[in-house]
């Protein structure tokens, strides 16, 4: 082995400790948010929710009522920021080796979009941690939709966006039953029974998440067809939509989101973070 080869072999090939830590904080933060959101939806399904709306902001706000709630909110905000950093790292440094082809670039752009989806929630959690109770901001998705609808052909752009989101939802369900999500968890530290439980939680969780995303995509399609930005909704509106189908449907999806949150916590504990 040459001196150059020896030097290269000494260079760490895994993600830096800092980015790895931020990624794990991110998985944990998302897991906690989904568990809280699922629990709120379960309470709503059983009539015990006290009128609380089971959406992401409400889930984060509930942390403030717990002991050391502001500290927890700060950690959630930091964790969500860590997830955004990790997603950007995946996209920019191509840690998954997706390449520069059309499919690869599309996947890497999705990593960025996936990270940015949590930017607003991270900001909201940070404001709560620093300032206490705060008013919810305007619905960003509705505001942006209204602007796009004002463009020439804007209604078609919104419809296309809705179709893309529905496509992502279908992919989530595909991931659930293809078992591809298993590669995101290092199962070497799990027993066979634990690995099976994690696998089932992932299946149920990704399916439930896919259903919620499909509803959000449907909202965008409706907004484009009707040229009406108010037709766009977030997770709260998606749960309202499910509640109209009955408490059993809402409760089933809510339980699935709790399962997804648990899967994310396991991923935080046993992550597979490919090299950068």
């Amino acid at each position: 082995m040459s001196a150059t080869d020896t030097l290269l072999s000494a260079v760490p090939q895994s993600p830096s400790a800092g980015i790895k830590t931020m990624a794990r904080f991110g998985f944990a933060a998302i897991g906690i948010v989904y568990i809280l959101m699922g629990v709120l939806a379960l309470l709503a399904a059983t009539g015990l929710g006290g009128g609380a709306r089971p959406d992401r902001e409400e889930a984060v706000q509930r942390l403030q009522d717990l002991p050391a709630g502001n500290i927890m909110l700060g950690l959630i905000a930091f964790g969500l920021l860590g997830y955004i950093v990790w997603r950007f790292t995946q996209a920019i440094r191509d840690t998954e080796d997706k390449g520069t082809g059309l499919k690869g670039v599309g996947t890497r752009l999705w990593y960025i979009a996936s990270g940015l989806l949590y930017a607003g929630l991270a900001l909201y959690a940070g404001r709560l941690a620093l300032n206490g109770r705060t008013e919810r901001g305007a619905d960003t998705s509705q505001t942006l939709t209204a602007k796009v609808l004002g463009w020439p052909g804007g209604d078609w752009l919104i419809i296309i966006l809705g179709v893309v989101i529905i496509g992502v939802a279908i992919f989530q369900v595909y991931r659930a039953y293809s078992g591809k999500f298993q590669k995101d968890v290092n199962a070497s530290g799990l027993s066979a029974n634990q690995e099976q439980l994690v696998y089932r939680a992932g299946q149920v969780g990704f399916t439930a998440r896919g259903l919620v995303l499909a509803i959000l995509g449907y909202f965008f399609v409706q907004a484009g067809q009707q040229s009406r930005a108010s037709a766009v909704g977030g997770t709260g509106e998606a749960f309202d939509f499910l509640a109209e189908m009955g408490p059993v449907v809402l409760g089933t999806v809510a339980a699935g989101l709790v399962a997804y949150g648990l899967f994310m916590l396991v991923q935080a504990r046993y992550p597979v973070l490919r090299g950068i």
Side-chain angles (χ1 to χ4, degrees), residues 3-233:
T4 302
D5 291 336
T6 302
L7 180 62
L8 289 174
S9 65
V11 177
Q13 298 301 310
S14 60
S16 70
I19 293 178
K20 184 181 292 187
T21 299
M22 293 195 76
R24 295 178 70 175
F25 263 108
F27 299 147
I30 291 172
I32 291 170
V33 170
Y34 269 92
I35 289 172
L36 290 173
M37 190 164 58
V39 168
L40 287 174
L42 282 171
L43 291 174
T46 56
L48 300 175
R53 196 170 201 192
D55 61 13
R56 297 192 306 177
E57 289 187 343
E58 180 67 28
V60 167
Q61 197 173 81
R62 286 302 179 97
L63 289 173
Q64 199 169 41
D65 299 327
L66 300 176
N70 284 348
I71 294 175
M72 294 182 68
L73 282 168
L75 291 174
I76 289 292
F78 176 78
L80 293 174
L81 176 62
Y83 184 77
I84 295 170
V85 169
W86 172 242
R87 281 308 213 182
F88 271 70
T89 300
Q90 284 182 300
I92 296 171
R93 300 197 179 183
D94 194 16
T95 61
E96 305 292 325
D97 293 324
K98 297 300 181 181
T100 56
L102 183 61
K103 182 179 179 180
V105 170
T107 302
R108 292 163 71 179
L109 287 175
W110 164 246
Y111 292 152
I112 293 175
S114 174
L116 290 177
L117 284 175
Y118 293 95
L121 187 62
L123 181 61
Y124 181 73
R127 286 176 174 172
L128 279 177
L130 293 174
N131 304 321
R133 295 283 175 180
T134 184
E135 294 294 327
R136 297 190 183 200
D139 192 316
T140 305
S141 59
Q142 288 189 2
T143 302
L144 293 177
T145 299
K147 290 182 179 179
V148 174
L149 287 174
W151 300 349
D155 50 350
W156 281 104
L157 289 175
I158 295 300
I159 290 173
I160 291 171
L161 176 60
V163 171
V164 169
I165 294 174
I166 292 172
V168 172
I170 293 172
F171 180 71
Q172 293 291 304
V173 178
Y174 167 72
R175 284 196 78 197
Y177 293 95
S178 67
K180 288 184 177 294
F181 64 88
Q182 283 183 290
K183 66 181 182 181
D184 296 331
V185 173
N186 181 1
S188 62
L190 301 171
S191 68
N193 288 337
Q194 289 172 330
E195 187 177 351
Q196 185 67 11
L197 283 174
V198 171
Y199 177 71
R200 294 304 179 196
Q203 278 191 316
V204 173
F206 278 101
T207 301
R209 189 166 183 256
L211 288 173
V212 173
L213 282 173
I215 294 171
L216 297 180
Y218 169 75
F219 289 157
F220 276 98
V221 172
Q222 289 290 98
Q225 288 178 336
Q226 301 171 11
S227 295
R228 185 168 59 90
S230 60
V232 172

